[in-house]
Amino acid sequence: MKNTLAFSIFCITFMSGAFAAPLEWWQQETVCKLDPTECYSTMGVGYDRELWDSSTGCWGMKMICPEALTTGDYIPVPVGREDISKGTNINKDFDTNVLNGDCFGVRKTTDNGTMASVDGKYVRIWCNGILDNVDEYLENGEITYGAQPTCTELAEYGYVATANGKCYGKYYDQSQYYIECNGNDTVPSRIIVLNGADYTASSSNAPTDSSAASKIFDSMQSISESQRKIYFKNN
């Protein structure tokens, strides 16, 4: 029985060699080959091209910055294309298409980079040094996740919530300008030029508080408006 089996194997081998050219083992159809397809056309900084993305069946995964994730990681994490497209564990305030150093994910901005997304809403990016409660430093300035500074808080140091380049916080010299605020609004109701008057000089009719000052300015505006109607009549 043993001799018969050996003879059969020998015959099969001999016949195969007689009718077909031998193929190298790696060319045989039964050998499993890895798919060489790459997930991204170019993979430089921010990618790990050695990782297999099983969700889409290709090579290469994006490294997502930890702050752009909701998982609490402290280092960049490789994330598959399907999870990125679905937003799985991705912070909705971050754009994972933008490279941030050696990983992807920067906070979304708008209005020429002066507003940043926080919890799905856009808040002002303040120029450096204005905020007392800085939660995050960005390329163009600082943001706070909580309550935004009021007009009164800003005016105390001569600032108003006006765009100053790519951040908010324009300075007005308080000896030349009066910043009028209205309640807890962030933006001032108006900014009044003092025309070089010495606001520290004493006067018998000088306003003693902001309310009195507003009345004086309202009166001045009313007189100016009436004079304009007299001398600048419409033709």
Side-chain angles (χ1 to χ4, degrees):
M1 180 69 178
K2 184 181 297 184
N3 292 336
T4 303
L5 178 61
F7 178 77
S8 298
I9 294 174
F10 173 80
C11 290
I12 293 172
T13 305
F14 177 80
M15 292 176 64
S16 298
F19 295 102
L23 293 176
E24 301 292 351
W25 68 266
W26 59 85
Q27 295 177 321
Q28 300 288 340
E29 293 184 359
T30 56
V31 175
C32 296
K33 301 181 179 67
L34 290 175
D35 188 343
T37 303
E38 294 186 340
C39 297
Y40 302 93
S41 57
T42 57
M43 287 186 284
V45 178
Y47 295 91
D48 190 328
R49 62 183 306 137
E50 304 300 324
L51 293 178
W52 174 256
D53 185 352
S54 59
S55 65
T56 48
C58 54
W59 286 100
M61 299 179 75
K62 268 187 176 182
M63 302 299 295
I64 305 301
C65 300
E67 57 268 25
L69 297 169
T70 60
T71 52
D73 289 276
Y74 296 97
I75 59 175
V77 175
V79 181
R81 291 197 303 177
E82 186 173 320
D83 285 337
I84 292 176
S85 65
K86 291 181 178 180
T88 305
N89 298 326
I90 303 293
N91 189 323
K92 61 184 178 182
D93 294 319
F94 285 76
D95 186 346
T96 54
N97 292 314
V98 181
L99 186 65
N100 183 14
D102 59 354
C103 55
F104 284 88
V106 298
R107 189 172 289 277
K108 296 176 182 177
T109 60
T110 188
D111 291 351
N112 197 32
T114 60
M115 305 282 287
S117 179
V118 175
D119 293 333
K121 299 179 180 179
Y122 283 92
V123 300
R124 291 178 176 86
I125 298 177
W126 299 95
C127 299
N128 294 322
I130 291 180
L131 290 178
D132 291 330
N133 53 331
V134 180
D135 288 313
E136 186 176 334
Y137 294 93
L138 302 179
E139 181 180 359
N140 297 337
E142 312 163 342
I143 61 173
T144 177
Y145 304 151
Q148 300 298 303
T150 65
C151 172
T152 302
E153 292 170 340
L154 294 169
E156 183 179 356
Y157 301 101
Y159 288 101
V160 296
T162 302
N164 183 16
K166 290 191 175 182
C167 57
Y168 276 85
K170 192 170 182 179
Y171 178 75
Y172 285 85
D173 189 336
Q174 291 176 297
S175 66
Q176 301 179 40
Y177 300 92
Y178 173 71
I179 303 171
E180 184 176 87
C181 299
N182 183 17
N184 291 324
D185 291 345
T186 299
V187 179
S189 54
R190 57 183 174 179
I191 300 173
I192 302 165
V193 181
L194 300 178
N195 294 323
D198 184 1
Y199 72 102
T200 62
S202 60
S203 174
S204 58
N205 63 343
T208 57
D209 53 31
S210 60
S211 177
S214 295
K215 290 181 180 179
I216 293 175
F217 289 127
D218 288 337
S219 176
M220 292 169 61
Q221 185 178 30
S222 177
I223 294 172
S224 176
E225 180 67 18
S226 63
Q227 293 296 309
R228 187 186 67 81
K229 291 180 179 179
I230 294 174
Y231 295 104
F232 296 94
K233 295 181 179 180
N234 294 327
N235 295 327

